[in-house]
Amino acid sequence: LLKHLETGEGCYLMQRHGVMAAVLRIQRFYSKYPNHNASILLSVLTVMARLLDCNYTRSLLLEPSTPNAENADPEGITTAAFSIAHCHMNSRAHMDAALRCLAQCCRSEPCRALIIHRNYVPYTIQGAKPFLYDRSIARNMLRLLNWLST
């Protein structure tokens, strides 16, 4: 799956086949047992991050008003990324991937409003504090705050 998500065409193909909906279902199922399935939830975040990094699939997944956006679920994607980050605050890899997803989500107005409305920012800052020495986490945290402020 990750091999397909390395190119824009692969991301488009995976989005057309509903991979994000499947990944969100996997996250919901395994969120009941977060400590036993940390590697599966990290894989979920990795797939979400790759789909959100692609300019084409990001708009289809986060903007319900976009044509051909029948799989758009900005609330589900944002909630899933935050939920995994909140459950695995002690894991650098989980926080990095979750912040990357949330930063990409902030580029969309519905997700930005949801993050502000649900007050996710203080929790993400608190979860990222122990790992701010890591450049990737610091960069993603700054991106998240930058996109939220614009």
Side-chain angles (χ1 to χ4, degrees), residues 54-80:
C54 180
N55 291 331
Y56 179 75
T57 55
R58 179 178 50 246
S59 64
L60 289 178
L61 293 170
L62 298 178
E63 299 289 340
S65 61
T66 306
N68 300 325
E70 60 276 352
N71 293 330
D73 186 11
E75 184 176 348
I77 293 168
T78 307
T79 304

Side-chain angles (χ1 to χ4, degrees), residues 81-93:
F82 179 77
S83 172
I84 294 172
H86 188 66
C87 289
H88 296 281
M89 280 185 168
N90 296 328
S91 168
R92 189 201 67 76

